[in-house]
Amino acid sequence: MKKIFVTGALGQIGSELIMKMRANYGNDNVIATDIRKPEEHIVVQSGPFEILDVTDAEKMHTLAKKYEADTMIHMAALLSATAEAKPLLAWNLNMGGLVNALEVARALNCQFFTPSSIGAFGPSTPKDHTPQDTIQRPTTMYGVNKVSGELLCDYYFYKFGVDTRGVRFPGLISYTTPPGGGTTDYAVDIYYEALKRRKYTSYIDRGTYMDMMYMPDAINAIIQLMEADPSRLQHRNAFNVTAMSFDPEEIAAEIKKHIKDFKMNYDVDPIRQGIANSWPNSIDPTAAIEEWGFRAEYDLAKMTVDMLEKLKEKGIENL
Ligand code: AKB
């Protein structure tokens, strides 16, 4: 990875990944792109930034060529709840953007990363310790996009020799950029609301387990996989990765250890609950551990301490 071209750079993952990669590989070697350009944003100010709509194949190619990219990190996508509300837009953006990015990688001989998700599984998938290779019949548009994306990335590797790599991310929790339009977003919102109002109304019901991971572990996983010896990679595009699995009651109990008067209520959203019900309770990351040494540092307790501390430093308290 010498010249890294990133789409969706201002998103939840992109904004932190860019800063970490600029620190590792040099500011000028990480080219951030997004559909908007907020001048005051640290990602815009700290290195090259270009406006790019990922459905514009020609502009993507022109920009990647201009910066002599040798690596494409394709992050721009709609998340599960938004994709369910706007399925055609999701198909066009998630699949159109992906195939454009793969074509650029093919034409310019770039290494390639894009994330899949636990959303690539469905109700007929084994629910607990979901294996790496198993039934994938998702019932959401997001899931259809993610399975198609996994297969398309495999195809570009086998057919054209593009060095494609990827992981199935669980819900990602971070204090820098809020997620938007996901099903697992409650596990981020809860920390903000706990600090601001000492209460949270969860749209996901008690007893609903989903895999989660703290953002520093997710960023490390991307970099580690991209730097992994390709001869060890059997799976390439859809490694199960996870750090923890909890339900709303468990995260609330963990927060209560630090904010004694924190109260949890429920007002379940049938759409997002339905999506969550179709996903695994917990996935098995053995292939990622064996093939490229994946390891997560943060469990629920350690993440909660850090989230609350970092959000307080940002001034999120007692509003
Ligand atoms: C979502 O909830 O849509 C995402 C995901 C698990 O892919 N966070």
Side-chain angles (χ1 to χ4, degrees):
M1 293 201 284
K2 293 199 177 69
K3 282 276 181 189
I4 306 160
F5 187 91
V6 185
T7 70
L10 299 176
Q12 192 201 11
I13 306 176
S15 54
E16 289 193 48
L17 180 65
I18 295 273
M19 297 316 291
K20 178 75 182 229
M21 288 195 310
R22 283 188 173 154
N24 286 3
Y25 304 104
N27 284 0
D28 288 344
N29 295 325
V30 182
I31 299 93
T33 72
D34 208 296
I35 199 157
R36 66 205 159 90
K37 187 178 183 185
E39 294 295 341
E40 72 293 349
H41 200 291
I42 181 81
V43 165
V44 174
Q45 290 182 351
S46 59
F49 188 100
E50 298 277 356
I51 293 179
L52 175 65
D53 171 350
V54 293
T55 60
D56 185 344
E58 207 180 308
K59 185 165 181 191
M60 193 190 289
H61 185 277
T62 304
L63 287 176
K65 198 169 173 186
K66 171 178 150 189
Y67 287 98
E68 299 178 341
D70 67 5
T71 306
M72 297 278 298
I73 310 256
H74 178 58
M75 290 293 176
L78 294 185
L79 293 183
S80 56
T82 308
E84 221 35 38
K86 297 174 183 164
L88 190 60
L89 175 66
W91 178 265
N92 289 335
L93 181 70
N94 291 357
M95 299 314 299
L98 177 59
V99 82
N100 289 344
L102 282 165
E103 273 300 299
V104 172
R106 179 166 83 95
L108 303 182
N109 197 20
C110 295
Q111 199 191 8
F112 188 87
F113 176 92
T114 200
S116 184
S117 157
I118 52 171
F121 297 118
S124 53
T125 301
K127 278 249 170 240
D128 297 302
H129 310 294
T130 302
Q132 175 66 43
D133 301 308
T134 187
I135 300 165
Q136 288 181 265
R137 304 289 295 173
T139 47
T140 62
M141 176 49 89
Y142 183 65
V144 170
N145 295 166
K146 288 301 180 190
V147 176
S148 308
E150 291 179 3
L151 295 172
L152 197 59
C153 290
D154 281 349
Y155 180 80
Y156 269 72
F157 171 64
Y158 290 118
K159 179 85 177 173
F160 304 120
V162 179
D163 182 1
T164 53
R165 305 181 185 200
V167 297
R168 292 185 184 126
F169 272 135
L172 298 180
I173 294 161
S174 62
Y175 56 85
T176 304
T177 307
T183 301
T184 57
D185 298 5
Y186 91 89
V188 179
D189 302 341
I190 192 171
Y191 287 105
Y192 282 81
E193 293 304 306
L195 284 169
K196 284 191 216 165
R197 287 178 249 283
R198 303 209 153 5
K199 61 181 183 194
Y200 180 65
T201 302
S202 176
Y203 60 81
I204 294 293
D205 208 356
R206 45 166 73 82
T208 310
Y209 282 80
M210 288 184 277
D211 285 283
M212 303 279 176
M213 189 186 286
Y214 199 33
M215 191 59 86
D217 284 330
I219 301 297
N220 285 341
I222 295 172
I223 293 173
Q224 207 181 338
L225 174 57
M226 290 304 274
E227 289 183 343
D229 173 358
S231 69
R232 288 182 62 199
L233 303 180
Q234 303 297 311
H235 288 88
R236 289 203 153 260
N237 292 306
F239 283 99
N240 284 0
V241 290
T242 183
M244 60 195 101
S245 168
F246 55 74
D247 83 325
E249 292 286 286
E250 287 178 18
I251 187 171
E254 198 58 45
I255 290 172
K256 245 176 171 324
K257 288 180 189 166
H258 306 273
I259 302 172
K260 302 281 175 236
D261 54 346
F262 176 64
K263 295 237 166 359
M264 183 81 150
N265 298 307
Y266 290 88
D267 181 10
V268 174
D269 167 19
I271 306 282
R272 284 176 288 185
Q273 184 64 42
I275 296 173
N277 288 346
S278 77
W279 290 355
N281 297 329
S282 64
I283 60 173
D284 175 7
T286 304
I289 294 166
E290 288 176 352
E291 292 177 36
W292 49 277
F294 164 73
R295 197 165 67 87
E297 296 280 333
Y298 288 87
D299 60 11
L300 178 57
K302 193 170 169 192
M303 174 179 77
T304 299
V305 169
D306 202 60
M307 268 300 274
L308 293 174
E309 201 179 289
K310 294 291 184 346
L311 287 176
K312 279 187 206 166
E313 280 169 22
K314 276 177 72 177
I316 310 287
E317 197 169 17
N318 291 327
L319 298 180

